[in-house]
Amino acid sequence: NTDIDEIEAWKIKKTYQYLSNIKGNGTSMISLLIPSNEQINKVSKMLSEELATASNIKSRVNRSSVLSAITSVQQKLKYYSKTPNNGLIIYCGTFYDENNKEKKILVELEPLKPLNSSLYVCDSKFHTNVLVEMIQVDQRIGFIIIDGKGVLFGLLIGINKEILFKLNVNLPKKHGRGGQSALRFSRIRIEKRTNFIRKICELSNQYYIGDCQKNSIEGLIIAGPADLKNDLISSELFDSRLREKLLSIIDISYGGEIGFNKAIENSSSILEQLKYIKEKKIIQSFFDEIEKETGKYVYGCEETYESLINGFLSKIILWEDLDIERIVYLDQLTDLQLIKFSKKSEVINDHNFDYRTNIICKDRSNILDWIIANKKNYEIEIHIVTDKTLEGAQFVKGFGGIGGILKYVKLF
């Protein structure tokens, strides 16, 4: 489920931002990464050895914090009979909050992607680089590298490249030799080029469209030194589904593996923008509803919230840094609840909300957090967007960073 992955990635990003700003006292901050092929009992044994070593720390305060953190991690591992499929990440340590009060934190995460390496570090900060890697989108980009000597079909997934297939040919050049007539040679040349293009189209379908979605791609880049790539694009045999995914046609001086590497290098800016394509599409669909005046759109916190709880929303779009608080006030005399929305920096003081003392603040939470926590109560797609695109920036500035597309036109 794509929107579930989107939500999980947002949670990881939020956790990363929080943990990265925490500074510990001494070396009491433990970062533990356990890959899926690592046995839990082996890690527990290692922690027991670290516990014994930590007993020799000279500083009493630091020693106590480190021993406490290691013990907490050991206790947490007892809940696992085996390592989860993608591995396990645990952060634990003692730090001082903004009020200079000592706090202890323990965060456990099951990675979105398999962990490839293990790590155990005691430091004054948490080692969170792995969280950044987890939330980076690994788009599957197809590459067709074509020249007069053959064609290469490649796949780029994140930073990992794979050659799917190579076909070598020897197409005749434009000028004939050996006494052949120019007309006859030209006919042979065109026939061989046509057959070559036909074969490339067949292989393109096989490797990028096939029934098994193993090599399905989000985008396609065609590169090469000759005009063959243009012949491929204009061919009626080139599948329209691949044409829709075409990101760029790149001129390079080489074919084969060297050409593949060069094409990746030359398309870096295109690939950087690709991760925002899905985001741009969902926001643009929201803008289209407004432009067409369909009435199937809503924006603003209160209006979007009302549409959500009444079951009118099909899709909700939320800015990842939305700082609006959902505050629930309770009238203790009537037992009635009142829900208000306010920016976090402008939240009304609970005790001064009303002159009547029977009004109390029952609950307060970030609206984005609340919607995600209550997603199961509503049949809705959740899309979390950034302000890093033109569309995203416009959505945040012009519509408050919260809006949605309705299932049907509201009659009131």
Side-chain angles (χ1 to χ4, degrees):
N1 190 322
T2 306
D3 66 307
I4 295 266
D5 292 341
E6 201 172 310
I7 291 170
E8 291 305 314
W10 173 80
K11 288 179 180 178
I12 296 289
K13 185 175 182 179
K14 189 175 179 183
T15 302
Y16 164 75
Q17 292 171 340
Y18 176 66
L19 293 179
S20 297
N21 290 324
I22 293 177
K23 304 298 178 185
N25 187 17
T27 57
S28 61
M29 314 291 276
I30 292 178
S31 303
L32 178 64
L33 275 60
I34 309 173
S36 58
N37 58 0
E38 191 92 26
Q39 295 182 351
I40 292 293
N41 57 5
K42 183 180 177 182
V43 178
S44 297
K45 182 181 178 182
M46 178 272 292
L47 289 173
S48 296
E49 294 170 356
E50 291 292 333
L51 195 66
T53 303
S55 301
N56 299 321
I57 297 175
K58 292 182 179 180
S59 169
R60 181 186 61 82
V61 175
N62 191 35
R63 179 174 67 248
S64 175
S65 297
V66 173
L67 291 174
S68 174
I70 294 175
T71 302
S72 295
V73 175
Q74 285 180 314
Q75 294 299 319
K76 178 58 65 176
L77 288 180
K78 289 181 179 178
Y79 289 95
Y80 292 88
S81 58
K82 65 175 184 177
T83 309
N85 291 336
N86 285 345
L88 181 64
I89 301 174
I90 298 179
Y91 295 105
C92 184
T94 304
F95 68 101
Y96 290 94
D97 64 13
E98 61 273 10
N99 299 317
N100 206 32
K101 289 185 178 180
E102 188 176 84
K103 284 190 174 182
K104 187 174 182 179
I105 184 174
L106 191 149
V107 175
E108 58 179 316
L109 299 164
E110 292 189 21
L112 300 179
K113 306 172 186 177
L115 285 178
N116 297 319
S117 58
S118 58
L119 175 72
Y120 172 79
V121 178
C122 284
D123 203 346
S124 59
K125 63 179 181 180
F126 290 128
H127 289 240
T128 54
N129 288 343
V130 65
L131 300 183
V132 178
E133 296 171 5
M134 284 168 54
I135 58 179
Q136 289 182 344
V137 181
D138 286 348
Q139 305 104 336
R140 302 173 67 89
I141 310 300
F143 281 80
I144 299 177
I145 313 300
I146 179 174
D147 67 356
K149 296 180 181 178
V151 62
L152 179 148
F153 294 89
L155 192 64
L156 182 69
I157 307 175
I159 61 172
N160 300 309
K161 63 181 180 180
E162 178 185 355
I163 295 175
L164 302 176
F165 183 74
K166 288 193 297 184
L167 174 67
N168 295 322
V169 297
N170 186 19
L171 296 181
K173 296 181 181 179
K174 288 186 178 180
H175 300 289
R177 45 184 158 356
Q180 288 180 308
S181 68
L183 186 61
R184 179 169 173 268
F185 185 86
S186 176
R187 187 171 61 250
I188 294 172
R189 177 177 175 273
I190 292 172
E191 182 181 340
K192 288 189 175 182
R193 284 171 67 95
T194 302
N195 291 337
F196 183 44
I197 294 296
R198 180 184 293 109
K199 186 63 176 179
I200 293 174
C201 291
E202 292 174 359
L203 292 170
S204 298
N205 290 358
Q206 177 182 333
Y207 286 106
Y208 300 134
I209 297 179
D211 294 332
C212 83
Q213 296 291 313
K214 179 181 177 183
N215 294 326
S216 61
I217 55 175
E218 280 85 30
L220 177 66
I221 291 174
I222 298 177
D227 57 358
L228 278 167
K229 54 186 180 296
N230 298 319
D231 293 343
L232 173 63
I233 298 303
S234 60
S235 172
E236 294 180 356
L237 299 174
F238 190 65
D239 198 290
S240 59
R241 290 169 292 180
L242 290 178
R243 186 174 279 109
E244 289 173 0
K245 295 183 177 182
L246 186 61
L247 300 174
S248 181
I249 303 172
I250 300 176
D251 288 316
I252 51 178
S253 302
Y254 302 96
E257 293 184 43
I258 297 176
F260 185 21
N261 294 332
K262 192 65 179 175
I264 293 174
E265 180 184 333
N266 290 2
S267 58
S268 58
S269 60
I270 298 168
L271 298 177
E272 177 64 25
Q273 284 298 312
L274 183 62
K275 63 184 177 183
Y276 296 118
I277 283 181
K278 180 184 173 185
E279 175 179 314
K280 288 160 72 79
K281 283 182 178 178
I282 185 63
I283 297 176
Q284 189 57 53
S285 67
F286 171 76
F287 290 161
D288 289 345
E289 297 291 340
I290 296 174
E291 186 179 349
K292 295 174 184 176
E293 297 183 347
T294 62
K296 292 177 61 179
Y297 61 88
V298 65
Y299 59 87
C301 192
E302 292 189 16
E303 293 81 359
T304 305
Y305 177 80
E306 286 298 320
S307 297
L308 171 67
I309 62 175
N310 286 304
F312 298 147
L313 276 181
S314 169
K315 300 174 183 178
I316 189 167
I317 308 170
L318 301 158
W319 180 35
E320 63 176 2
D321 292 327
L322 197 63
D323 68 343
I324 296 175
E325 298 277 297
R326 174 184 178 272
I327 311 167
V328 182
Y329 293 99
L330 176 67
D331 187 327
Q332 297 179 94
L333 296 180
T334 63
D335 208 31
L336 292 176
Q337 289 187 355
L338 177 65
I339 298 176
K340 292 283 187 179
F341 300 95
S342 179
K343 288 188 176 182
K344 190 173 183 179
S345 57
E346 301 170 358
V347 170
I348 304 168
N349 187 306
D350 299 342
H351 303 293
N352 298 328
F353 171 70
D354 198 290
Y355 64 89
R356 296 171 294 171
T357 57
N358 54 288
I359 300 291
I360 62 169
C361 178
K362 183 180 178 183
D363 182 59
R364 174 188 291 175
S365 59
N366 177 276
I367 184 63
L368 204 165
D369 291 339
W370 186 88
I371 290 172
I372 288 175
N374 292 274
K375 179 183 186 294
K376 61 182 180 296
N377 299 326
Y378 309 100
E379 294 181 2
I380 188 172
E381 288 182 24
I382 297 178
H383 298 276
I384 301 173
V385 301
T386 70
D387 58 357
K388 293 181 170 38
T389 64
L390 182 63
E391 293 83 353
Q394 186 179 349
F395 177 72
V396 171
K397 187 176 181 180
F399 300 91
I402 178 169
I405 298 175
L406 302 172
K407 296 175 182 175
Y408 36 76
V409 178
K410 286 198 298 183
L411 300 178
F412 54 90

